[in-house]
Amino acid sequence: SQNLLITLIIAMVFGYLIIILIPKVAGDVKLFLPSAVLMLLYAVGKLFHLSSLIFVLIFGLMLNNIQLFFRGILKSLINTELYDDLLAEIKLITLESSFLIRTFFFIVFGMSITLDGFNQISAFVISILALAIMYLLRWGALKVIAPKQMLPGLFVAARVLITILLFYSIPEEHQIPDFSLAVLFLIIISSNLIMMYGLIKNGNVSEEVEVEKPEPDPESPWADLE
């Protein structure tokens, strides 16, 4: 809990500094400043055993909710109108770079899996149980939060890059001995196939909303034109 508190404080402080300093950078390299600082924070977090992913998460949260974090006296430090174009450019770069990162991540993940793990019945049993629990919890959450959007929301629960990243970030002392990576592979592949099926199955379903046209007012001077 202490490490989490320290991580949140550092992330907030550097998040404010980055957002304030971005417009003050001269030239056309403004987008590389937050990237460089975030990579530095990630390395520092790893060095001091802090939650490095929290740094990135907090910065993205602050960048997309500037008006919420910069209120009162802090509002005078920035011009919120300048961040609309900047946010659009950062989103574009993030989408394009994430495609390349996902590609290399899945290559590394595939190279770390041995086919011997698929000979174990326990891997399939654990995968089925994990998927059943995952979709059962998602069904319960959607039943309470959004009961009218059960489909295809129930199927959109794919485990992809973040699952692999979190798995490899588990400290060695907390890892389960002889854990088969086939379990992780089966969960990722199965959840993606289920999501694909759900989107294809419900992709063409659209609700027709009838808009009631108000009756014209006979006393209105425009009644004859309506």
Side-chain angles (χ1 to χ4, degrees), residues 161-182:
L161 181 60
I162 189 62
T163 304
I164 303 173
L165 185 61
L166 291 175
F167 177 79
Y168 283 117
S169 64
I170 298 175
E172 186 176 354
E173 60 271 15
H174 296 298
Q175 295 180 5
I176 300 175
D178 301 329
F179 179 80
S180 176
L181 287 176

Side-chain angles (χ1 to χ4, degrees), residues 138-157 198-199 202 205 207:
R138 188 171 182 84
W139 177 86
L142 290 175
K143 191 71 174 179
V144 176
I145 299 174
K148 296 182 179 180
Q149 299 179 354
M150 293 292 292
L151 298 176
L154 179 62
F155 299 101
V156 185
L199 293 177
N202 299 275
V205 177
E207 297 182 358

Side-chain angles (χ1 to χ4, degrees), residues 6 31 90 107 109 115 120 124-125 157 167 172 190 209:
I6 295 174
L31 296 179
I90 291 179
I107 291 175
F109 180 60
L115 296 178
Q120 302 175 2
F124 291 90
V125 174
F167 177 79
E172 186 176 354
S190 300
V209 180

Side-chain angles (χ1 to χ4, degrees), residues 54-74:
I54 299 296
F55 293 142
V56 185
L57 176 63
I58 294 298
F59 174 72
L61 184 65
M62 294 178 65
L63 190 61
N64 198 45
N65 299 273
I66 290 178
Q67 296 180 352
L68 180 62
F69 286 92
F70 286 84
R71 305 175 66 178
I73 301 176
L74 296 176

Side-chain angles (χ1 to χ4, degrees), residues 88-215:
E89 292 178 0
I90 291 179
K91 288 182 178 180
L92 179 61
I93 292 178
T94 302
L95 289 174
E96 292 181 353
S97 59
S98 63
F99 172 77
L100 182 63
I101 294 173
R102 285 197 302 267
T103 302
F104 283 105
F105 240 99
F106 275 97
I107 291 175
V108 174
F109 180 60
M111 292 174 60
S112 62
I113 297 176
T114 57
L115 296 178
D116 295 337
F118 294 95
N119 296 328
Q120 302 175 2
I121 303 299
S122 58
F124 291 90
V125 174
I126 295 174
S127 302
I128 294 173
L129 290 176
L131 288 170
I133 294 173
M134 181 179 70
Y135 284 104
L136 181 62
L137 293 175
R138 188 171 182 84
W139 177 86
L142 290 175
K143 191 71 174 179
V144 176
I145 299 174
K148 296 182 179 180
Q149 299 179 354
M150 293 292 292
L151 298 176
L154 179 62
F155 299 101
V156 185
R159 308 292 109 179
V160 281
L161 181 60
I162 189 62
T163 304
I164 303 173
L165 185 61
L166 291 175
F167 177 79
Y168 283 117
S169 64
I170 298 175
E172 186 176 354
E173 60 271 15
H174 296 298
Q175 295 180 5
I176 300 175
D178 301 329
F179 179 80
S180 176
L181 287 176
V183 175
L184 192 62
F185 178 82
L186 290 171
I187 292 175
I188 291 174
I189 296 299
S190 300
S191 61
N192 277 273
L193 290 176
I194 292 173
M195 183 181 70
M196 181 181 65
Y197 169 78
L199 293 177
I200 294 175
K201 186 72 174 179
N202 299 275
N204 296 326
V205 177
S206 60
E207 297 182 358
E208 296 182 358
V209 180
E210 296 182 358
V211 180
E212 297 182 358
K213 184 178 180 180
E215 296 181 358

